[in-house]
Amino acid sequence: MKKFLTSKLVIIMTVLILLVVFNALVFNVSVVNRNIVVGLGLDFDGTEYTLHTQVVLPKNGGVASGGGNNYITLKTNAQNINIAIDKIEKEQGVILSLAQAAILVLGKSMVETGDLTLVEAFFMDDRVHDNLLLVMAEDKAEDVMNATVAAGEVASLQLVRQLSPTKAPLGVSTITMQEYIRNAKNSNKINYMPMISVEKTEPSTDQSKENEDEADKFLITQSALLDNNGLQCLLDLDMTQTFSLVKKSLQDGVIKVEGEDFFSVHLVESKTNLSYDLDLMECKVKIKIKTIRTDARYINGKVSFKLSDEEQERLKQSLDTRVKALYEYAKAQKVDAFSIVDGFKKKYPKKSSQIMADDFLDNINLKVEVTITQVE
């Protein structure tokens, strides 16, 4: 009996050891064949989509994390994103892990003529996270994905870092996939995303690109406004800043006031809200900003960073002019940049037929109210 129990124990132990070894081997294979995707790009040529997947390759057998790693960009053409992923996995003999993808770059033609509902449908998949950033390339997504950045960097991750300051600045506003899809489901809301340009550098004899000055640079100064029909208009730097001021709460930036006596202020904090009055056919943009003068001036022999009363009025007038100029520019492109129609519909749900009239925005009186608080 004792001998039988001993034999049985040996058999059990042997089976357990074999299971552990087998599991380790399978796990090792899955890790080797699993490609960590950190960035995605999508182009459209009018008939087919080209999916670019930027994959980090760990050095010296280490874990892929971006810093100090090489990378490759795998791409293929297909009728939709799911088929493209299947093709890459079969052609490369790998499994694409999308959970760590941090950014999706859409080519300009994709935003202009591609089916954006394909993007929405795919990225609602559990394989990617909701905080994936969306941007539009000035031309092709491939140009952004293949940019030669500093040594040890991955193009898509460097772009994410540039788009993720610690404080929300006066400038290009980022948008996540979750925000984009939420806006897309509301036909009255405009969507937006940063536009990325690549500033190419001269070829370097130093293949490692150890000097950051020799690496390609990402320029992020413009924004794209789009709806469910695709790209509607582009905003230059000044209009992009104004758009961010109206749509976001900001904590950094510089506002310049042009004129014979030029001055500028540092934006410490800003909050904006819109109010609606259907009886008056009026929308009021209420901007509250905390500022400090960027350059000191002398008052009675003392240094001061406060704005004079005249400068405060000039700052208010400057913001009034910029907000109205952006509104009129977008309206000329048939774009409701500030989602004013949506605001009226929420406040006056029983008046939707009046609010949805084609000429509704043309009859709206836009007013801008600026409140300035100065800090020392």
Side-chain angles (χ1 to χ4, degrees):
M1 183 70 179
K2 186 176 181 181
K3 191 173 183 180
F4 172 76
L5 290 174
T6 302
S7 300
K8 191 173 182 181
L9 182 61
V10 169
I11 292 171
I12 292 173
M13 292 298 293
T14 302
V15 170
L16 287 173
I17 291 170
L18 288 173
L19 286 173
V20 170
V21 171
F22 177 76
N23 184 63
L25 289 172
V26 171
F27 176 76
N28 188 53
V29 170
S30 68
V31 168
V32 171
N33 289 342
R34 188 174 294 276
N35 282 3
I36 306 299
V37 178
V38 294
L40 296 151
L42 192 62
D43 285 315
F44 182 60
D45 64 4
T47 56
E48 279 192 317
Y49 298 91
T50 301
L51 178 68
H52 310 269
T53 60
Q54 199 152 73
V55 177
V56 172
L57 302 176
K59 284 186 175 180
N60 302 321
V63 178
S65 62
N69 289 283
N70 292 322
Y71 68 91
I72 57 173
T73 301
L74 306 174
K75 71 173 185 176
T76 194
N77 299 329
Q79 294 300 313
N80 63 51
I81 301 173
N82 282 308
I83 294 175
I85 287 177
D86 289 341
K87 284 181 67 176
I88 290 176
E89 291 183 334
K90 289 177 182 177
E91 290 170 1
Q92 301 295 325
V94 299
I95 299 171
L96 294 179
S97 178
L98 304 175
Q100 289 181 299
I103 192 166
L104 168 64
V105 182
L106 299 175
K108 188 176 181 182
S109 62
M110 175 65 204
V111 179
E112 288 178 326
T113 59
D115 185 357
L116 293 175
T117 59
L118 290 178
V119 179
E120 296 171 32
F122 174 76
F123 286 96
M124 289 178 72
D125 195 300
D126 291 337
R127 286 182 289 180
V128 295
H129 58 73
D130 293 339
N131 290 327
L132 185 86
L133 294 179
L134 268 71
V135 300
M136 187 189 88
E138 183 181 31
D139 188 12
K140 291 184 177 180
E142 186 173 19
D143 298 336
V144 176
M145 304 298 284
N146 290 340
T148 306
V149 294
E153 288 283 358
V154 180
S156 54
L157 293 182
Q158 178 171 309
L159 182 54
V160 169
R161 279 191 285 275
Q162 283 186 235
L163 289 164
S164 307
T166 54
K167 295 181 178 180
L170 177 69
V172 173
S173 295
T174 58
I175 188 168
T176 65
M177 177 57 69
Q178 184 180 49
E179 292 171 314
Y180 174 84
I181 291 176
R182 186 167 61 240
N183 290 344
K185 291 185 180 301
N186 187 335
S187 60
N188 299 310
K189 277 198 172 183
I190 194 71
N191 250 316
Y192 60 92
M193 60 182 65
M195 189 181 82
I196 311 299
S197 305
V198 180
E199 186 178 82
K200 290 291 182 181
T201 60
E202 293 297 323
S204 172
T205 55
D206 178 8
Q207 296 301 313
S208 66
K209 286 280 188 182
E210 300 226 341
N211 185 348
E212 275 195 32
D213 292 335
E214 294 178 349
D216 295 335
K217 293 180 173 63
F218 293 124
L219 303 180
I220 314 171
T221 59
Q222 298 185 69
S223 298
L225 298 187
L226 58 155
D227 59 18
N228 292 336
N229 296 315
L231 179 65
Q232 297 302 309
C233 64
L234 293 174
L235 306 182
D236 62 18
L237 176 59
D238 286 341
M239 287 191 289
T240 289
Q241 291 180 338
T242 304
F243 181 79
S244 296
L245 185 64
V246 174
K247 301 290 284 187
K248 298 278 188 175
S249 294
L250 308 177
Q251 296 174 312
D252 195 15
V254 174
I255 301 175
K256 298 177 181 179
V257 180
E258 305 290 345
E260 186 175 341
D261 296 320
F262 169 85
F263 70 93
S264 61
V265 296
H266 175 68
L267 180 66
V268 178
E269 185 179 87
S270 77
K271 291 183 179 180
T272 301
N273 62 70
L274 279 65
S275 62
Y276 311 93
D277 191 319
L278 192 59
D279 293 332
L280 297 177
M281 290 295 285
E282 178 182 286
C283 174
K284 185 178 289 186
V285 181
K286 301 175 182 178
I287 303 172
K288 294 182 179 181
I289 57 174
K290 289 184 180 180
T291 66
I292 185 171
R293 209 176 192 278
T294 54
D295 296 320
R297 62 192 186 93
Y298 291 90
I299 304 176
N300 299 325
K302 294 182 179 180
V303 175
S304 174
F305 286 90
K306 283 193 172 183
L307 297 172
S308 66
D309 292 341
E310 180 190 354
E311 287 174 333
Q312 288 191 60
E313 289 305 313
R314 286 179 60 197
L315 176 57
K316 290 179 180 180
Q317 185 57 49
S318 176
L319 293 177
D320 180 282
T321 300
R322 293 181 192 184
V323 170
K324 290 177 178 177
L326 170 56
Y327 173 68
E328 292 298 331
Y329 167 77
K331 192 169 67 170
Q333 314 296 318
K334 307 297 183 184
V335 174
D336 181 8
F338 302 147
S339 301
I340 290 174
V341 169
D342 184 60
F344 270 101
K345 279 190 68 179
K346 286 179 178 177
K347 185 173 181 180
Y348 303 98
K350 295 181 179 180
K351 301 284 186 176
S352 58
S353 58
Q354 176 187 348
I355 295 167
M356 293 303 294
D358 291 339
D359 62 347
F360 181 74
L361 278 181
D362 294 328
N363 297 317
I364 289 296
N365 179 26
L366 187 74
K367 290 192 174 182
V368 181
E369 180 181 287
V370 181
T371 303
I372 300 173
T373 301
Q374 299 195 66
V375 296
E376 285 288 355

